[in-house]
Amino acid sequence: LAMLALSVLSALVGIIMRSLSFRQDFDITQSDYAIPFMLALIFAASALLHPASHALIAAPSPTARTPLLYRFATISLALISPVVLITVTDPFDFQDRVIRSISVTLLVIVVMARVIQSIRENAIAQNNLMRSALTDSLTGLPNRILMLEHISTALQHSWISNKRPTVLFIDVDRFKNINDSLGHSTGDNVLTHVASRLLLSAPDTATVARISGDEFVVLDPTTESPTQSVLLAEKILDSLRTPVPTSGGDMFVTASIGVAYAPKGMDLTADQLLRHADTAMYRAKDAGRNCIALFDDTMLDLVTKRLDVETSLYRALERQELRLVFQPIVDMTLGVVVGFEALMRWNKDSESVPPAEFIPIAEETGVIVPLGTWAINDALQQLSSWITTGVVTPATTMSVNVSAKQLHDPEFISHVRDALRNSSITPDQLLLEVTESVMITDASQALTAMKSLAGLGVRIAVDDFGTGYSSLSVLQHFPIHSIKIDRSFVQRVAQDSESSMLIRTIIAMATALGADVIAEGVETDEQMRLLLSMNCVKAQGYHFFRPIDAEFIPQGIAEIQNRDTWLDNVTK
Ligand code: C2E
Ligand code: CA
Ligand code: CA
């Protein structure tokens, strides 16, 4: 740069000397002013040959740009000075006039070119910004905002045609489990696979979007009846049936799909239509996942009902609407009750709300934390009174269900300690049941809590075992004392060999972990025999007892332990 500057300076000196010599003000000869011109050439050549010269032509890095104000000042000066010079002085002759015109034209062209370049750069940058704000970076699909616009346009166009839009809300089943147990890169891999399957199976007229984590939306503006909408949803559900290849092997991914069709004559906004599809999707999840549900108006009632449950649940405890029922756990070889599982019941406005309905809401809203603490206290008090009155043996256990939210509560451990102290029950008689999924999602938090509980001497049972994605390698880190075989396997044990294989595997796994096994949901004599033949000793289920109110327990226990068929049954 210094060489170039010197070259320009020398040329300038040469030009001035030459002008002075022409005006004959001074005595300057041609050989005098040739010197600065020669110097200018030498400096220019040196600059061009300098090793750093290529840096001059390389694109300037955006951070190394000169400050805006400085650039503005130099450009203005460079523009204004020639213009001022040209306007304040009169041209000498025709040639001068031509040169001035050409100079001004060149100046205008340069300025125009720069302005056009700036505008284009700006437009490209804005376009990129818009695109990244409206599409999802993982899959490149439109996001929620853009999808709502598409739905809105589809609804507007549908007024003038017979075609009506269909919106499908697709949620990948148990995606959080996949993500947490197999890692985020596998999770991302699954999502991109799902996205490309959706794109392939959706018709050309449809738009596919990813609106959040594991939620996709498909819009087809050309359907003509709800039947067509459902057919479209089935096609999409079908496309997900082939397993997704991941680094850890093939993986089966299912989804729940909510379908909303915008009927004619109904004034719906894009947001409402999407919400309808979302509501229907929850219905599909409730129906057992991997299925389709079509939105209808009664689902709106469900949403209001849910809201009602949510608000009344907050007051249920103080209004004493909650109580516990108890299901005895029996030793099938001895025919004696060795423990109980406490299960919550809610009488809302003198009608009973099933736990499957209110427990998930209590978990979502966090109300489960006080409810759960109440349950532990109440269950232990109850056990203590049965032991003192001699209804059960002093070693009888009490199992209480615990949700993830409770484990995350920093005061949970001290609440458990207080409950044990108040009831004078020894810690190893309390079994806290946590589901398998709790150990996969937020594993580290669950682990800390479970270790402190185990430190108190409390025992931990894995509930609904076999329904999650956990593995021996995950479970071995947790302090586990019991494994509860999920009802679904027990109930199929007599019909299919797969279930009995699975139960055998679970029992082997429990042995490896040093845990005992409890079978859930034993309903028939045959199931009991098969379980006994596999060395599963403890069980609960309607075959022995349904969950009953505390007041009926003494009578119930006496009855079952005195069943004279009991031991015959077992030994037969
Ligand atoms: P869970 O922990 O798996 O409880 C066992 C469920 O199976 C109970 O349903 C019980 O009534 C039912 N059951 C027992 N034996 C049989 C049988 O032989 N056949 C059939 N078909 N079912 C049987 P329930 O009482 O409706 O509870 C449902 C779920 O609600 C429980 O599943 C548990 O996850 C949750 N829950 C209940 N009480 C509490 C609680 O106090 N705290 C928490 N966090 N969850 C609770
Ligand atoms: Ca349980
Ligand atoms: Ca269970």
Side-chain angles (χ1 to χ4, degrees):
L1 274 178
M3 295 285 186
L4 278 179
L6 283 174
S7 162
V8 170
L9 201 70
S10 311
L12 203 67
V13 172
I15 289 167
I16 292 170
M17 284 171 70
R18 207 174 75 137
S19 315
L20 292 176
S21 120
F22 283 170
R23 288 181 58 137
Q24 293 169 346
D25 292 346
F26 298 93
D27 187 18
I28 300 171
T29 64
Q30 195 173 0
S31 51
D32 289 336
Y33 60 72
I35 297 170
F37 280 122
M38 289 297 286
L39 281 175
L41 283 176
I42 291 170
F43 283 131
S46 325
L48 285 178
L49 292 175
H50 194 276
S53 62
H54 68 269
L56 287 176
I57 20 179
S61 84
T63 46
R65 282 200 174 167
T66 39
L68 200 62
L69 192 67
Y70 177 71
R71 263 162 61 200
F72 181 70
T74 26
I75 291 174
S76 309
L77 200 73
L79 273 179
I80 291 166
S81 353
V83 171
V84 168
L85 259 174
I86 287 167
T87 42
V88 295
T89 58
D90 289 330
F92 309 122
D93 50 17
F94 178 71
Q95 195 187 358
D96 191 16
R97 205 181 288 272
V98 171
I99 291 176
R100 284 173 186 237
S101 313
I102 293 175
S103 315
V104 171
T105 313
L106 276 177
L107 209 64
V108 170
I109 290 175
V110 168
V111 171
M112 289 291 286
R114 181 68 189 118
V115 168
I116 291 171
Q117 189 196 4
S118 275
I119 291 175
R120 278 192 50 195
E121 272 176 7
N122 243 333
I124 291 171
Q126 202 162 14
N127 225 329
N128 285 344
L129 218 81
M130 284 285 276
R131 215 187 358 238
S132 65
L134 293 177
T135 56
D136 156 48
S137 58
L138 177 68
T139 57
L141 294 176
N143 65 9
R144 187 190 183 88
I145 301 168
L146 191 54
M147 192 46 159
L148 279 172
E149 250 170 55
H150 282 303
I151 299 175
S152 195
T153 317
L155 282 168
Q156 276 163 21
H157 285 321
S158 70
W159 282 105
I160 43 163
S161 76
N162 271 336
K163 303 196 184 323
R164 308 287 312 168
T166 287
V167 171
L168 307 181
F169 201 107
I170 302 156
D171 187 285
V172 180
D173 294 332
R174 300 198 176 87
F175 181 72
K176 198 165 162 40
N177 276 6
I178 298 174
N179 222 4
D180 290 345
S181 57
L182 303 171
H184 287 266
S185 68
T186 309
D188 284 353
N189 186 8
V190 167
L191 289 179
T192 33
H193 260 93
V194 170
S196 56
R197 299 262 172 95
L198 295 182
L199 282 171
L200 274 177
S201 56
D204 295 339
T205 48
T207 314
V208 180
R210 176 174 171 231
I211 62 164
S212 75
D214 59 342
E215 293 174 335
F216 294 86
V217 169
V218 174
L219 162 73
D220 185 0
T222 64
T223 45
E224 286 172 20
S225 67
T227 320
Q228 283 188 4
S229 316
V230 171
L231 285 177
L232 172 68
E234 274 175 1
K235 192 173 160 213
I236 286 185
L237 200 63
D238 254 354
S239 75
L240 296 173
R241 289 204 206 283
T242 28
V244 171
T246 68
S247 53
D250 281 0
M251 169 146 198
F252 284 91
V253 177
T254 60
S256 304
I257 305 184
V259 185
Y261 173 77
K264 208 163 183 77
M266 205 166 158
D267 197 5
L268 281 173
T269 63
D271 202 42
Q272 280 170 326
L273 189 60
L274 187 62
R275 225 170 325 130
H276 285 182
D278 189 9
T279 307
M281 186 277 292
Y282 273 102
R283 189 39 105 63
K285 282 247 187 272
D286 285 346
R289 297 181 161 93
N290 194 15
C291 62
I292 296 164
L294 178 66
F295 177 83
D296 66 66
D297 291 341
T298 58
M299 290 185 188
L300 282 183
D301 298 345
L302 271 179
V303 175
T304 24
K305 195 172 162 209
R306 195 193 138 94
L307 223 80
D308 178 38
V309 167
E310 215 175 290
T311 42
S312 349
L313 200 52
Y314 277 104
R315 278 176 244 122
L317 244 187
E318 54 191 66
R319 288 191 188 168
Q320 300 193 318
E321 293 173 340
L322 292 163
R323 73 196 152 90
L324 292 178
V325 290
F326 298 89
Q327 185 173 41
I329 298 169
V330 296
D331 179 318
M332 294 188 286
T333 54
L334 303 173
V336 293
V337 172
V338 291
F340 298 93
E341 175 171 1
L343 294 156
M344 225 182 263
R345 293 292 177 265
W346 181 20
N347 259 359
K348 175 175 171 283
D349 312 323
S350 69
E351 93 182 73
S352 174
V353 189
E357 205 169 289
F358 76 84
I359 295 282
I361 299 178
E363 285 175 347
E364 249 170 65
T365 53
V367 184
I368 196 69
V369 174
L371 294 195
T373 306
W374 163 80
I376 294 175
N377 272 295
D378 206 57
L380 290 182
Q381 290 295 344
Q382 196 53 254
L383 178 65
S384 158
S385 85
W386 286 328
I387 291 175
T388 37
T389 51
V391 175
V392 291
T393 62
T396 310
T397 61
M398 179 59 78
S399 303
V400 186
N401 294 288
V402 168
S403 302
K405 275 257 166 70
Q406 289 172 268
L407 287 182
H408 298 168
D409 177 25
E411 285 170 30
F412 183 61
I413 314 291
S414 60
H415 287 322
V416 172
R417 199 185 297 126
D418 292 346
L420 286 166
R421 195 179 308 130
N422 294 341
S423 59
S424 330
I425 296 286
T426 54
D428 66 350
Q429 279 172 277
L430 174 63
L431 256 102
L432 294 180
E433 297 192 358
V434 290
T435 55
E436 210 182 341
S437 57
V438 170
M439 296 181 214
I440 303 167
T441 50
D442 309 318
S444 64
Q445 242 175 329
L447 184 63
T448 326
M450 281 161 70
K451 277 190 173 156
S452 336
L453 287 169
L456 282 184
V458 170
R459 293 199 286 155
I460 310 267
V462 190
D463 206 354
D464 306 339
F465 191 81
T467 57
Y469 285 96
S470 64
S471 59
L472 195 58
S473 63
V474 172
L475 291 180
Q476 66 176 356
H477 298 297
F478 290 88
I480 291 167
H481 306 90
S482 288
I483 282 184
K484 300 191 73 170
I485 305 173
D486 191 63
R487 189 164 81 218
S488 55
F489 306 118
V490 174
Q491 280 171 358
R492 289 199 307 261
V493 68
Q495 288 100 333
D496 67 58
S497 55
E498 238 170 81
S499 289
S500 54
M501 274 272 287
L502 226 128
I503 293 180
R504 273 181 220 280
T505 315
I506 293 174
I507 293 172
M509 204 158 151
T511 316
L513 290 168
D516 70 355
V517 183
I518 303 169
E520 290 189 305
V522 178
E523 288 183 356
T524 65
D525 201 53
E526 194 184 10
Q527 287 164 1
M528 177 177 85
R529 278 165 204 283
L530 285 168
L531 287 165
L532 271 172
S533 73
M534 297 177 200
N535 281 331
C536 174
V537 173
K538 289 186 198 170
Q540 62 188 97
Y542 294 172
H543 181 55
F544 314 109
F545 284 98
R546 284 184 177 256
I548 45 175
D549 275 304
E551 60 191 281
F552 300 123
I553 285 286
Q555 184 193 343
I557 290 184
E559 235 165 66
I560 199 150
Q561 289 187 349
N562 291 337
R563 256 190 215 175
D564 42 5
T565 53
W566 180 259
L567 284 174
D568 301 2
N569 262 343
V570 178
T571 45
K572 231 187 265 168

